[in-house]
Amino acid sequence: MASALPLAQTDPDPGFAELLAARPHLSMHAHDGLTVEEVPLARIAADAGTPTWVYSAGALRRRARALKAALDGAGLRASVHYAVKANTSLAVLRVLAAEGLGADVVSEGELRAARAAGIPGAEIVFSGVGKTERELRLALDEDIAQINLESAEEAETLSALAASLGRTARVALRVNPDVDARTHAKITTGRSENKFGVAIADAPALYARLAALPGLEPVGVATHIGSQITSGMAAYRAAYARLAELVQALRAAGLPVQHIDCGGGLGIPYRDEPAPSPEALAGAIKATLGPLGLPVMLEPGRWIAGPPGLLLASVVLQKQGGASSPGRRFLVLDAAMNDLVRPAMYEAWHGILPVAPRDFVAPLSPADVVGPVCETGDTFARGRALPSLQPGALVAFLDAGAYGAAMSSTYNMRPLAAEVMVDGARFAVTRPRQTHDDLLGRDRLPDWLREASP
């Protein structure tokens, strides 16, 4: 999940002070350097090593409360279900659960994580186009709030399973409104050519079919038009207006609709691009869906978890360009595309701040920021204005709390990074760094290879 921002910009990048000012959970101290809440990142690096994901509990709380306040301020009856796919850390989920957020899950693993973090089944929504029978059975066992059905075929499967178990599944029909959210092509989900949901023209007949199938209780309609939406409210308004028309048609046919699932997708400013506010989204919902008088559900992920997280990395070396590229500078880090894949996959832009106070005010020059993975695509930024950083110097990638650790891999046999939660003046490792023994321990040699001499 990502924005379409390129690695290098033609417009001037925001300066360190601008990036810092827009992120109130971060500060620069003359002695301690870059600090999350009250904990210096240098202290975290000394304790947990690098690369390490660092999450601010305070920032998570503030963003959850801000979204809920915006919805309340618009007079909406709304429930918020955090999109677990953005960040699956149990510590993150526990903080959000304590703020009264439910969960939106798309797999068995995410459902189990939400439950392990203390989120009740009654506050969990299960989305996704390819739920297996095993996953549907677990959703029924946990008696979750709602299963979002995305096809007639899935409805038939769930009906047969629920009926065989003597259960009734509460379901919503996810519709595809054929609205372009004007986000990255890989994360748009509401256009007719996308794999998600059913065509809105087919929805009335299928909703009536759901009401007739055994084991199913249709409770509403759902949509989700994409991720990292920063182009304003026009796409949301268009999609929600079509949902409103659908609800009116269902009511006219005598079919029950208890609530509307509005999805998520609200974007964040990774660089300095304008991004809509929760108040703007709440206003769009009120204007289009408010007259229906129904409760609404939201499924934010990136907007909640993105800014509170960062990736802490160390400089391995600075490499100067050769004769064919004089003056070119490569800043090689111990973090790589297997840790933070968004720049390699989407050419996404992340702010990069030096951690040491002396580096924060040192002279700047262009640098290509890269990792050690054997891919040219293992590039975080090109021509980024950064100080000269010696081996061991620390840098922080900003706004990495969403789709950072959740999308990381062990490519090149690189262990998964550690994860740390900061809460005021305290911090703790919430997911230990994977070891090479952990990686090798996953493999099993068949008997005929174990017995053979290498």
Side-chain angles (χ1 to χ4, degrees):
M1 304 292 175
S3 64
L5 293 171
L7 290 166
Q9 299 281 332
T10 55
D11 297 332
D13 289 331
F16 294 163
E18 294 174 86
L19 291 170
L20 202 58
R23 292 153 180 86
H25 58 291
L26 300 178
S27 58
M28 175 57 70
H29 291 230
H31 179 264
D32 291 329
L34 190 60
T35 297
V36 177
E37 300 191 31
E38 300 173 48
V39 179
L41 284 171
R43 187 189 306 168
I44 293 175
D47 183 83
T50 58
T52 291
W53 304 96
V54 182
Y55 309 122
S56 162
L60 287 166
R61 295 188 186 104
R62 284 193 297 272
R63 296 185 74 82
R65 293 170 188 175
L67 178 56
K68 293 175 71 175
L71 297 168
D72 290 343
L76 296 169
R77 288 184 292 156
S79 58
V80 179
H81 302 261
Y82 166 70
V84 176
K85 61 181 174 289
N87 188 313
T88 62
S89 162
L90 290 186
V92 168
L93 295 177
R94 180 62 68 92
V95 168
L96 298 179
E99 293 299 315
L101 270 60
D104 167 57
V105 305
V106 296
S107 70
E108 175 182 348
E110 289 186 3
L111 175 52
R112 292 187 181 278
R115 293 292 292 116
I119 299 176
E123 297 177 11
I124 296 175
V125 175
F126 202 140
S127 304
V129 299
K131 308 176 198 71
T132 65
E133 187 169 311
R134 173 189 170 103
E135 289 173 324
L136 292 172
R137 185 184 296 270
L138 177 63
L140 291 170
D141 288 343
E142 293 291 340
D143 194 24
I144 69 169
Q146 175 177 299
I147 299 173
N148 287 348
L149 296 177
E150 304 216 14
S151 66
E153 294 82 358
E154 185 175 53
E156 297 286 349
T157 297
L158 180 57
S159 171
L161 178 61
S164 71
L165 297 173
R167 305 279 184 83
T168 298
R170 292 175 293 273
V171 299
L173 181 61
R174 177 172 177 175
V175 299
N176 187 321
D178 195 19
V179 168
D180 187 353
R182 299 189 180 279
T183 185
H184 196 288
K186 292 182 179 179
I187 54 174
T188 185
T189 59
R191 294 161 62 181
S192 59
E193 64 264 34
N194 298 141
K195 66 182 180 180
F196 301 95
V198 301
I200 199 163
D202 299 334
L206 183 51
Y207 199 91
R209 174 64 177 153
L210 298 182
L213 283 172
L216 301 185
E217 178 192 0
V219 295
V221 293
T223 195
H224 181 80
I225 60 173
S227 181
Q228 183 55 9
I229 299 172
T230 58
S231 57
M233 289 294 110
Y236 279 121
R237 286 177 177 267
Y240 296 157
R242 294 182 184 181
L243 273 189
E245 293 174 358
L246 173 60
V247 170
Q248 291 166 344
L250 295 175
R251 283 174 163 176
L255 295 167
V257 180
Q258 297 179 22
H259 54 247
I260 300 171
D261 187 338
C262 298
L266 191 63
I268 61 173
Y270 282 96
R271 190 171 178 263
D272 54 3
E273 67 273 25
S277 67
E279 289 77 12
L281 178 59
I285 295 172
K286 182 177 182 179
T288 51
L289 300 175
L292 298 173
L294 291 173
V296 297
M297 307 163 71
L298 275 80
E299 298 165 359
R302 184 195 314 269
W303 196 89
I304 295 287
L310 60 82
L311 177 61
L312 181 60
S314 296
V315 174
V316 176
L317 56 87
Q318 288 191 102
K319 177 182 175 182
Q320 299 300 322
S324 60
S325 55
R328 188 161 198 143
R329 177 168 65 112
F330 294 95
L331 193 63
V332 185
L333 306 180
D334 62 354
M337 63 184 288
N338 74 290
D339 300 303
L340 181 60
V341 74
R342 296 185 70 253
M345 184 177 289
Y346 306 106
E347 295 191 325
W349 196 97
H350 282 268
I352 305 172
L353 292 181
V355 170
R358 64 180 180 278
D359 293 333
F360 197 80
V361 297
L364 307 179
S365 62
D368 289 0
V369 185
V370 301
V373 159
C374 290
E375 300 269 357
T376 301
D378 186 22
T379 299
F380 295 113
R382 298 190 185 96
R384 188 70 63 89
L386 289 166
S388 178
L389 295 171
Q390 299 306 307
L394 299 172
V395 297
F397 289 87
L398 305 182
D399 307 313
Y403 307 108
M407 295 180 73
S408 58
S409 74
T410 58
Y411 185 47
N412 279 193
M413 284 293 285
R414 289 173 49 83
L416 296 177
E419 298 186 36
V420 165
M421 173 72 76
V422 174
D423 197 351
R426 58 189 175 182
F427 73 94
V429 174
T430 56
R431 189 174 292 176
R433 186 178 310 282
Q434 194 176 37
T435 68
H436 289 99
D437 286 343
D438 294 333
L439 285 175
L440 292 171
R442 299 179 308 171
D443 287 9
R444 298 292 183 271
L445 286 174
D447 292 341
W448 67 87
L449 291 180
R450 187 180 299 110
E451 295 167 358
S453 299

